[in-house]
Amino acid sequence: MNTIAHSSFSTELQGLTADELAVISGGFDFGQAIQAGNTGAVQGAKIGGVLGAGVGAISGGVTGGTAGAAAGGVGAIPGALAGAAAGARTGATAGTAIGGATGWVVGAGYNTGHQLGAW
């Protein structure tokens, strides 16, 4: 078996100091991705809360109105109003959570892709 021996070949890893790493361009900034996710979460939560309230109000109104109508017809309108109010609250809560999580993933993902040169 032949062995190549040359003074420029080494199996040792060279150590880098924190100062040397700080001046390397093109590195990945994890903190920047986290911050972008946090910013996206705030916007996503706002949008999700509004959309969730709307969807909840509609589904709650339909459910409440249907239940009120089944109770004799007179309760259809009050049932729809009560159902819409309850649905809006529940929808806003769920929408805020879902929107915030989605916003974080989109914000952090977009930033990560940008840093890595995907777009």
Side-chain angles (χ1 to χ4, degrees):
M1 174 159 106
N2 294 334
T3 305
I4 298 175
H6 191 277
S7 60
S8 65
F9 293 141
S10 173
T11 58
E12 294 181 24
L13 294 175
Q14 299 295 320
L16 295 175
T17 67
D19 291 335
E20 291 172 324
L21 287 174
V23 297
I24 296 174
S25 63
F28 182 78
D29 187 344
F30 186 71
Q32 184 182 34
I34 295 295
Q35 183 58 39
N38 292 343
T39 301
V42 172
Q43 296 294 27
K46 289 177 184 176
I47 294 167
V50 170
L51 292 176
V55 171
I58 292 169
S59 63
V62 169
T63 303
T66 302
V74 178
I77 293 174
L81 294 175
R89 285 190 302 273
T90 303
T93 301
T96 298
I98 294 167
T102 302
W104 194 94
V105 169
V106 169
Y110 179 80
N111 182 273
T112 298
H114 184 71
Q115 286 191 61
L116 297 177
W119 48 81

